[in-house]
Each structure stands twice: as structure tokens, then as C-alpha cells.
Amino acid sequence: MNNIESRTEDAKEYFDATGLIPEHVAIIMDGNGRWAKKRQLKRSAGHKAGMDQVKTIAKHASKRGVKVLTLYAFSTENWKRPLNEVNYLMQLPVDFFSSFMPEIMEADIKVMMIGHPSDLPKKTRKVMEKAIEETKDNNGMVLNFAVNYGGRKEILDAVKEIAIMVEKGALKADKINEKVFEEHLMTSSLSEQQNVDLMIRTSGEERLSNFLLWQNAYSEFHFSSLLWPDFGEVDFDEALRIYQKRNRRFGGL
Ligand code: FPP
């Protein structure tokens, strides 16, 4: 957890000095389709507005001192959507990085990704790889995109890797513990911040939808009724304030 010293001057105005900023915030950005429908727009217009809100919230979270912001951009289940919507969603990272990269660099944000890049269209994969490469030496907030990500698959893949090590005699079964297991998850490179502190879902839905199943084991949940394109800086701050009032016990007293 961060303490006040590691926060920006700006954050001090808004937060109780003894309060804590969650180090790892994860967001299920839900409600783009409904946002568009309310305005009699195409679903793609909702996703475009959702992408613009990613820029706002990424800059804001970085300013607030969040260390890792993981955003659920595309799940392994989202391939079931109509092809034109899938195609639009796959184009979004291309548009996002072509317009937002100067601000990412300015804010010293480091881009990372979890998910399965090999199944993505080449243009989407390339643009993600390029953003990761260009920002690899940045030292600020990690902006971690979950693209073609599924929590159960992540856990099964980790189990398989560990099983192979045991089969080969490289690891003894009784040496498998949480730390060893976490080394095989896609979030392992987040090291200290691998587990989520605050999980936000917008649009009034209150479920996890296969998102960071292991990493959310002890996170605080915040469900907002706002649709993702309407979820702004003040709403993010409100989620932080609510988080600061929670008493995290991790199973203790
Ligand atoms: C869920 O809302 C949203 C998604 C499946 C896509 C989320 C993607 C973004 C917000 C943009 C990501 C940006 C980058 C740079 C990758 P929904 O469409 O299911 O909404 P609905 O439930 O109202 O239909």
C-alpha cells in the first residue's frame, strides 16, 4: 500500500492523509453498448467513448499514485460477439496508441498486457507489442491491458506449467505454494503488485466475469451503476474514498 509520501501533491487535497491509495486497481469497463443505445448510436460509438474514458482514467489513476491499473479490454468470451463488433474492438488499441502515446510518455506510464496475443489480429498484436516496447523503460504507473484474457485459462495454464516441471523432476509437488503458483500467472511480472487491491465494475453488473480470479481473492469490490463512458475522475476518486474506509483484514481480525 502507498503512504502519503509516495502520493502527488494533488492527491493530498482530496484524500485523508492517513488514507491509503490502492496499489493495484482493476476495472471491468462495462456498459459501452448501453451508453450508445441510450443515445440511439451504434455500439461502436459506445466503445469509442469507452476508449476515450480509458485515457481520462489512466491519466487520473497515475496522478493519484496508483501503481498498476489493469483494464479488462477483451475477454476470451468476447469472440462470441458479432464479427463487426469484434473487428471494431480489435481496431481500438490501434486508434488508442496512435493518439495517446505522447500523453503516455509524458505521464511516464508503462504499458503491459495480459492475455493471449497469438490469437489477436496481427495489427492489434503489433500495436500492443510496440507500445510495450516503447514504454518499457518508463517508471510510472503500469497500464496493464487484459486483451483476449480469461482467468480460468490463466489458472489452468499455470497448473499445466507446474505439472510439467513436476513431471520432469524440476519441482517437488510439496514445494508448490502460493508464491510458486503466482510465478506462473500472467501477472507475475507485476511482482509486488500482482494481487488486486480494488476491483471496480461499472454499469450496475455485480459479477467477476472470469477476470483475475486468483488475483482478486482479497480485493475490495466497488460496483458503480454508471456506464463506463460516464465513469469519470470524480467517480474514480469516490471509489478510492470508499476503499479508504474499508477495513481489510485478509482473513484476520
Ligand atoms: C463491455 O461493455 C466492454 C467491452 C467488452 C469492451 C471494453 C473496451 C473498451 C472500454 C475500450 C478499450 C480500449 C483499449 C485501448 C483497448 P459492453 O459492450 O458489453 O456494454 P453493454 O453491456 O452495455 O452492451
Side-chain angles (χ1 to χ4, degrees):
M1 224 56 50
N2 291 347
N3 56 27
I4 188 72
E5 285 80 37
S6 64
R7 289 200 229 128
T8 60
E9 284 302 305
D10 188 43
K12 288 181 198 167
E13 282 169 33
Y14 287 84
F15 298 99
D16 169 4
T18 59
L20 299 167
I21 296 288
E23 290 194 1
H24 186 170
V25 178
I27 309 183
I28 302 179
M29 309 178 289
D30 201 2
N32 294 346
R34 277 163 282 169
W35 184 93
K37 195 170 177 197
K38 263 170 69 179
R39 289 161 179 78
Q40 293 171 320
L41 298 169
K42 288 189 193 157
R43 290 180 59 80
S44 56
H47 293 313
K48 160 82 175 66
M51 180 190 79
D52 291 337
Q53 205 62 325
V54 168
K55 297 177 182 174
T56 303
I57 295 298
K59 280 188 290 188
H60 188 66
S62 149
K63 225 167 74 174
R64 286 286 175 257
V66 169
K67 290 190 177 167
V68 179
L69 179 67
T70 300
L71 301 175
Y72 209 3
F74 194 88
S75 75
T76 45
E77 288 71 37
N78 285 152
W79 297 108
K80 292 183 209 150
R81 293 189 177 209
L83 185 62
N84 65 348
E85 181 164 345
V86 169
N87 287 342
Y88 191 85
L89 288 168
M90 289 297 144
Q91 176 63 28
L92 278 183
V94 179
D95 299 346
F96 178 80
F97 290 114
S98 72
S99 55
F100 194 48
M101 196 44 105
E103 287 171 84
I104 287 183
M105 297 311 283
E106 168 79 24
D108 205 19
I109 289 172
K110 183 178 176 129
V111 176
M112 291 178 77
M113 182 192 150
I114 51 172
H116 300 277
S118 56
D119 301 327
L120 297 175
K122 196 171 167 194
K123 62 168 184 194
T124 315
R125 198 176 65 238
K126 290 270 167 223
V127 83
M128 292 298 313
E129 284 168 1
K130 188 165 174 271
I132 292 165
E133 174 61 26
E134 282 176 12
T135 61
K136 70 176 192 311
D137 297 324
N138 287 356
N139 292 307
M141 186 186 80
V142 169
L143 178 57
N144 185 31
F145 284 102
V147 189
N148 195 24
Y149 171 86
R152 286 187 174 179
K153 183 164 168 45
E154 179 188 33
I155 289 173
L156 284 177
D157 286 349
V159 168
K160 282 183 207 162
E161 275 181 30
I162 292 170
I164 289 168
M165 288 174 74
V166 172
E167 243 173 29
K168 286 184 177 161
L171 180 69
K172 283 202 152 70
D174 66 358
K175 292 277 180 254
I176 302 169
N177 56 26
E178 292 191 9
K179 190 175 166 292
V180 169
F181 191 76
E182 287 183 348
E183 283 163 12
H184 294 269
L185 293 174
M186 289 170 168
T187 45
S188 63
S189 50
L190 300 173
S191 45
E192 296 288 287
Q193 280 88 40
Q194 160 140 229
N195 288 304
V196 178
D197 297 303
L198 172 63
M199 213 288 292
I200 299 172
R201 182 170 189 148
T202 57
S203 89
E205 308 291 349
E206 301 189 358
R207 55 180 177 269
L208 206 44
S209 300
N210 206 14
F211 189 42
L212 299 171
L213 297 180
W214 172 282
Q215 298 87 339
N216 269 312
Y218 283 102
S219 57
E220 294 293 330
F221 284 58
H222 176 72
F223 296 109
S224 166
S225 58
L226 293 170
L227 304 174
W228 171 249
D230 293 327
F231 188 84
E233 296 176 352
V234 286
D235 309 300
F236 188 85
D237 283 351
E238 181 64 9
L240 296 185
R241 261 184 227 113
I242 292 169
Y243 173 87
Q244 291 183 335
K245 292 196 188 105
R246 302 258 176 98
N247 176 13
R248 300 181 81 197
R249 293 193 297 270
F250 297 95
L253 293 179

